[in-house]
Structure formats: C-alpha cells, structure tokens
Amino acid sequence: LQYYPVFTVEQHAFALPPIFGVFAYFIWKALRMRTAIAVLMIGIAFCPAFVQKINLARANLARPLVELKQPSFLKGMKVSPTMADYVAILDTATRKILDKAPDTPIVMEGDDALYCVFANNLWNPSPYYVTWTGLGSADEIKERRKNISQRRPIVCFQNRRMESVDAFKQKERYVTIAEIPFQPVVWWWGGQHDADLAVAGSPMRSMVVVAPEELVHAR
C-alpha cells in the first residue's frame, strides 16, 4: 500500500500499527466501552487520510503510464513517460560502466538507496546506504569517504550542490556519466511528494551520476 497505486511519504506512520490497538482501547475505555461509538470516532479520525489516498490514487491512475522493461528489478512497474525516460538514462549510463567492470558497486550520496541496486554488487562503504544529515558520526563519515576512494564505485549524487559534486570529481578523478535535471516537487500535508517522478517511493529531484574516469575511458 505504500507504493500502489500512488507513492506516499507517510512511512513514519508505518511504525504506528503496534500501538493502534492501545489507541483503540483507550478510546473504547474513554467512551465507557460503547463499541459502536468508539468505532465511529476512530473511523472519523482516519477518514481524511483515506479520502486523501483515494483522491491521489484516482489522479495517479488517470495519467498515461509506461511499463518498464529495464532494469530487471523494476521490470513490470508502471510509471509516467517522464519517469520512464529518467530510469532509461540512469540504466543506460550505469550499464556502460558495469559491462566493463561488472563488480563495480553503486554508492548513494543522497536520500534514496533504491539506486544502489542498479548494480549487482551491493557493497557499501558504510552501514548506511543513505546520507541523511546526522545519520553517521564524524568518524563514520571519514571512514565512508576513505572506502569510496579505495573501492572507487559509481556514485549517485541526489539533490546535492554542484560545487560539492565538482569538488569530489576533481579530487577523486571522476567523470559525470548521467544527469537528471531538477524537477519541481509538490508539497502537501507538510511533506514532499511528486507522483510523476517517484520510483518505488522517493521524490526524484536533481541527480548526478559519476564514475571513475579510468572506467569511463576503458575499452
């Protein structure tokens, strides 16, 4: 239900089911065990979320959709034509490198670990597949950068300043192999949502994919 028929950013709500029973029991007890009234009040409380989901689903299903053929882990998924083009760009760019060096992993500098699985090798330079602010300690970040320098994976920069991307490329001798332009993100209920650009769950903003220059120029 998180991804079908429309992407939702309400992942934090998925931690609530274990306490839902306690919440329902509290309402039931507060209403002096009047079951019918308790059910009605709980239904009313969650009604806005259901209505919102239905409206988003109707809008999403009304749009033209394209079935993905590649990469294999997304095969059969239906997305917008724009998203299909972006996936094709990323798949083609990374495939050119992986055909030369099949064991090359993909590392994410951004919020969405999904793009790491464009590669067969799921090696990661740290326990974290994403780089959310404050996720890793200073020592872990230092160790991550050291591992990237040694292993030299393909690196995906999502929603990062170009100055930092260019600095990384210059220092580590990397070359840009794909770039997805910035797209507007629709804001709703205080979170980010872009159904047109969502790949299995995360907003697609700007994306720059870089690879070691020795792999790019290899024959």
Side-chain angles (χ1 to χ4, degrees):
L1 292 179
Q2 180 183 358
Y3 303 137
Y4 182 84
V6 62
F7 150 62
T8 175
V9 292
E10 297 161 303
Q11 291 95 334
H12 61 276
F14 301 153
L16 296 179
I19 67 169
F20 181 78
V22 177
F23 172 75
Y25 178 77
F26 173 79
I27 297 296
W28 182 65
K29 288 289 288 186
L31 294 171
R32 299 179 182 179
M33 294 180 273
R34 297 172 183 172
T35 304
I37 298 177
V39 170
L40 180 61
M41 290 192 64
I42 293 171
I44 291 174
F46 284 91
C47 187
F50 289 131
V51 172
Q52 181 188 61
K53 188 75 170 180
I54 291 172
N55 290 336
L56 286 172
R58 290 176 61 186
N60 193 54
L61 293 173
R63 298 177 304 122
L65 298 175
V66 176
E67 184 174 323
L68 295 178
K69 305 298 183 183
Q70 294 292 336
S72 59
F73 70 94
L74 291 180
K75 185 176 181 180
M77 184 178 180
K78 292 185 178 181
V79 299
S80 70
T82 302
M83 190 66 251
D85 290 342
Y86 289 172
V87 171
I89 290 172
L90 291 172
D91 184 54
T92 300
T94 55
R95 192 56 47 197
K96 288 180 180 179
I97 302 300
L98 297 174
D99 286 344
K100 301 174 185 178
D103 197 43
T104 303
I106 296 177
V107 169
M108 195 71 210
E109 288 291 327
D111 302 335
D112 197 338
L114 175 71
Y115 304 102
C116 296
V117 296
F118 273 66
N120 295 323
N121 186 351
L122 300 182
W123 172 87
N124 200 57
S126 74
Y128 308 112
Y129 279 83
V130 292
T131 53
W132 298 339
T133 302
L135 184 61
S137 65
D139 289 340
E140 288 173 328
I141 293 173
K142 184 177 180 180
E143 185 66 21
R144 176 186 174 87
R145 291 172 179 169
K146 177 182 176 182
N147 290 338
I148 290 175
S149 295
Q150 294 175 344
R151 189 65 181 261
R152 299 187 64 73
I154 296 171
V155 182
C156 296
F157 290 90
Q158 184 182 27
N159 202 36
R160 291 296 186 266
R161 293 183 179 277
M162 285 307 301
E163 308 92 83
S164 63
V165 177
D166 291 339
F168 173 85
K169 289 165 56 180
Q170 183 176 5
K171 179 182 178 182
E172 301 294 342
R173 295 180 293 109
Y174 270 64
V175 177
T176 297
I177 60 173
E179 189 169 347
I180 302 299
F182 173 82
Q183 294 291 329
V185 178
V186 179
W187 291 83
W188 61 287
W189 76 272
Q192 292 180 334
H193 173 76
D194 193 344
D196 185 56
L197 301 178
V199 176
S202 293
M204 171 71 95
R205 289 160 286 175
S206 59
M207 173 80 79
V208 179
V209 184
V210 300
E213 60 180 23
E214 66 271 18
L215 292 182
V216 174
H217 301 309
R219 296 183 179 181

